[in-house]
Amino acid sequence: MNDDYLQRFRSRSAWERGRSGPPEGFPALPDIALGRYTDPAFLEAEMEGLFRKTWLYGVHESELDGPGAYLLRQVAGAPVLFVRGDDGEVRAFFNACRHRGAPVVQGETGIARRLTCRYHSWSYDLQGCLVAVPDERDFVGLDPAARGLPPVRAERWGGWWFVTFDDDAESLSDHLGPLRGLMADLAASPLRHLSTETVSLPCNWKVVAEAFLEVYHARTIHPTTVAPTLDTRGTVISLFDRGHQSMISPVNAGARTDRRDQLPTIERLPALLAAELNPAHGIFPNIVSPLDARGFPFLVFWPDGVDRSRLDIHWFVADWGDGPLPHQELWDARLERFDRIMDEDYANLGPIQTSLRHAAHGGTVVNYQERRIWHVHAWIDKTISRTLGPEAIPPELAVPDLLADWVEDPLT
């Protein structure tokens, strides 16, 4: 985040604060059909044409500390096992033995010299190769070299590992596109995974994701927490290629009283991210990251049924080296405040899903402040149409890309 970028932000923020309406030429956006949140067939199209065809977050390298370290994550419903090999490389596999599909690890995390199925004790090395089969003499023509663990394609960005179930998908670097430049300093900073919390919510995954794509609701849902802190009228929203987006709000001077300025600053991020700006970058299709120079989360939204979702909250902080986390009491207080804000959002989500399921008004209205929502929906459709064909999107549920002329390069 260089001086030119900050100057452009401040200029745009001043314009946003003083405007009396949307900018000239901004289109009137049609309603978003309610069926996109309630139709099981549309969810199936999202699962097959979006989640199984694009890049999805898996793990941070600091969670795999040394050879044999493994971590099991549910990625779009699939059990994906991340393992650090003896050669130091991180690999991803489906947690499924090639014999009859039983898992090869039982707990979510641990250290293993071999990955062994508890059902019949087929064993695999840390590279996923089959190395031991009890009673191998009973298998006719068994070729161990052809029966390794099923691999999952994994690529790294900074310290984060992403996976895709599509071997023909573009590279992770190409998928991230403009975000690589915008978040280059962050990706190059030494980070450590601090914690992961998982929350189950009674709503479609897009209902919860949309709560973090706008600040229009801050004054009503967060009147004593977020609203006093942020200058929401000066918020600057940017839409990027491939469905990515960002939202940066100025922080009201003196509004933060949680002592976060006493926490270490991430090496390559300016401290003004904590003091002056509140940026939130959206990584398509299902991540929002509210950045802060003193630690930040990835909010990762997963479908868990048409009217249920799972939110994984992964916190990252500056790598502190050896020993316990410094300033534990400050982190406890900060995370407690964050949870309180999230609870304010959670309380609203179940009733929204109930209303969407039973409402007769046909669609939801999206305004200029909420244009990130439209952008994400349009790219969901573009991705599904590209991977499954345009016929996979029912015309009555489609969200066309009406904001293509409003997409920008974040660094120009």
Side-chain angles (χ1 to χ4, degrees):
M1 183 173 290
N2 56 35
D3 291 342
D4 289 343
Y5 183 88
L6 290 173
Q7 184 55 45
R8 289 196 304 274
F9 163 77
R10 290 176 177 132
S11 176
R12 289 180 62 179
S13 181
W15 183 89
E16 291 284 352
R17 198 176 295 109
R19 66 180 173 83
S20 58
E24 184 177 352
F26 188 81
L29 300 173
D31 290 0
I32 295 177
L34 302 187
R36 295 178 68 90
Y37 307 92
T38 62
D39 183 353
F42 189 77
L43 174 63
E44 184 63 24
E46 290 179 324
M47 293 302 296
E48 293 302 317
L50 176 68
F51 283 97
R52 296 196 67 84
K53 296 294 183 180
T54 191
W55 287 96
L56 306 170
Y57 178 66
V59 67
H60 189 266
E61 64 171 6
S62 63
E63 296 178 85
L64 300 170
D65 186 15
Y70 69 83
L71 190 146
L72 181 64
R73 284 262 157 81
Q74 297 296 317
V75 180
V80 178
L81 175 63
F82 296 87
V83 181
R84 190 177 295 279
D86 291 316
D87 56 0
E89 291 296 315
V90 172
R91 296 174 177 85
F93 306 99
F94 289 104
N95 186 29
C97 178
R98 292 295 298 276
H99 176 212
R100 284 167 55 191
V104 296
V105 299
Q106 304 302 315
E108 291 187 0
T109 186
I111 303 290
R113 298 311 306 158
R114 285 189 176 184
L115 308 170
T116 301
C117 166
R118 188 175 293 180
Y119 199 4
H120 298 97
S121 293
W122 281 36
S123 292
Y124 304 83
D125 65 18
L126 301 180
Q127 284 70 46
C129 299
L130 180 61
V131 293
V133 176
D135 297 328
E136 186 174 350
R137 65 182 183 173
D138 290 333
F139 292 88
V140 177
L142 178 67
D143 179 6
R147 298 288 180 173
L149 288 177
V152 180
R153 184 178 167 195
E155 294 183 17
R156 176 179 168 177
W157 172 44
W160 299 296
W161 285 89
F162 287 69
V163 296
T164 181
F165 304 120
D166 182 6
D167 288 337
D168 296 324
E170 64 184 349
S171 69
L172 175 62
S173 179
D174 286 345
H175 169 71
L176 293 171
L179 287 182
R180 288 183 294 110
L182 184 61
M183 299 176 68
D185 285 347
L186 181 63
S189 297
L191 300 175
R192 187 181 298 190
H193 175 266
L194 177 63
S195 65
T196 292
E197 178 185 5
T198 295
V199 182
S200 179
L201 296 164
C203 62
N204 186 270
W205 73 277
K206 297 183 296 299
V207 170
V208 58
E210 289 171 10
F212 301 93
L213 295 177
E214 44 90 1
V215 288
Y216 187 38
H217 70 282
R219 283 171 287 181
T220 49
I221 300 300
H222 309 294
T224 63
T225 51
V226 176
T229 301
L230 301 184
D231 172 14
T232 57
R233 293 182 65 85
T235 296
V236 172
I237 291 172
S238 299
L239 309 181
F240 308 135
D241 192 22
R242 290 174 166 82
H244 310 303
Q245 1 70 43
S246 77
M247 177 173 68
I248 306 178
S249 299
V251 174
N252 291 321
R256 283 182 168 159
T257 58
D258 57 2
R259 299 190 295 161
R260 72 179 63 188
D261 60 334
Q262 298 177 34
L263 294 170
T265 300
I266 294 170
E267 183 176 291
R268 300 188 60 174
L269 291 186
L272 63 82
L273 286 187
E276 185 177 332
L277 303 179
N278 188 82
H281 296 325
I283 305 172
F284 185 81
N286 66 329
I287 300 175
V288 171
S289 183
L291 295 184
D292 190 305
R294 296 180 176 92
F296 61 93
F298 271 10
L299 310 179
V300 190
F301 313 100
W302 300 106
D304 200 17
V306 70
D307 58 359
R308 292 211 65 85
S309 58
R310 187 184 96 228
L311 169 60
D312 291 339
I313 305 171
H314 305 282
W315 276 91
F316 306 101
V317 298
D319 189 349
W320 65 86
D322 296 331
L325 172 71
H327 310 291
Q328 181 70 60
E329 71 287 353
L330 294 182
W331 269 109
D332 290 344
R334 185 175 174 195
L335 294 179
E336 188 278 329
R337 181 178 186 276
F338 181 84
D339 289 344
R340 189 165 68 250
I341 293 170
M342 297 295 283
D343 286 342
E344 293 171 348
D345 280 308
Y346 300 155
N348 205 38
L349 301 178
I352 288 176
Q353 186 67 33
T354 299
S355 297
L356 295 175
R357 187 167 62 248
H358 296 288
H361 59 271
T364 64
V365 184
V366 175
N367 68 22
Y368 170 71
Q369 281 192 56
E370 300 165 306
R371 60 195 182 276
R372 293 173 79 195
I373 295 173
W374 186 276
H375 186 58
V376 169
H377 275 270
W379 271 88
I380 290 172
D381 284 14
K382 289 173 75 168
T383 305
I384 294 173
S385 295
R386 185 184 73 247
T387 56
L388 300 183
E391 66 279 1
I393 306 291
E396 68 275 13
L397 299 185
V399 174
D401 188 9
L402 302 180
L403 298 180
D405 290 342
W406 299 83
V407 169
E408 59 189 84
D409 184 330
L411 298 182
T412 60

